[in-house]
Amino acid sequence: VDSLSLSWWGPEWREGATDTQGVYTDGRLLVALDAAQAANASCSLHLEPYPGRTAESVREDLVHLRRTGVLRHPALTRVDGRPLAFV
């Protein structure tokens, strides 16, 4: 296995930003990407459909991911130089 998809439920400040077990996934993204890089693997992102998600909230999410460095991480899968995310 050399490629993974990481499930992400949005920034911790967003209501409903936990997975089905109540875990905030936001703070775990960089840890998972660092581990993938150490294992010579890459990761895409799956932006999960949290309650109240809209086109504007997804835009805010992408800005958040850019600000936190997730979208620049070298282990993030890229297509034509752009980060791969599933919405």
Side-chain angles (χ1 to χ4, degrees):
V1 174
D2 62 2
S3 184
L4 308 164
S5 183
L6 301 175
S7 177
W8 184 68
W9 288 85
E12 289 188 17
W13 48 263
R14 187 175 305 287
E15 185 177 339
T18 60
D19 68 11
T20 57
Q21 297 176 1
V23 175
Y24 288 102
T25 57
D26 190 40
R28 292 168 169 41
L29 280 182
L30 288 173
V31 173
L33 287 166
D34 287 345
Q37 184 178 17
N40 294 317
S42 67
C43 299
S44 60
L45 299 176
H46 178 207
L47 280 61
E48 296 285 355
Y50 52 77
R53 187 174 80 172
T54 64
E56 178 60 21
S57 69
V58 171
R59 186 195 70 76
E60 292 170 353
D61 293 345
L62 293 172
V63 167
H64 171 78
L65 291 170
R66 187 181 68 221
R67 282 186 190 150
T68 58
V70 170
L71 295 184
R72 292 185 298 276
H73 198 285
L76 195 61
T77 304
R78 298 184 187 291
V79 175
D80 295 330
R82 295 182 177 167
L84 179 60
F86 300 95
V87 180

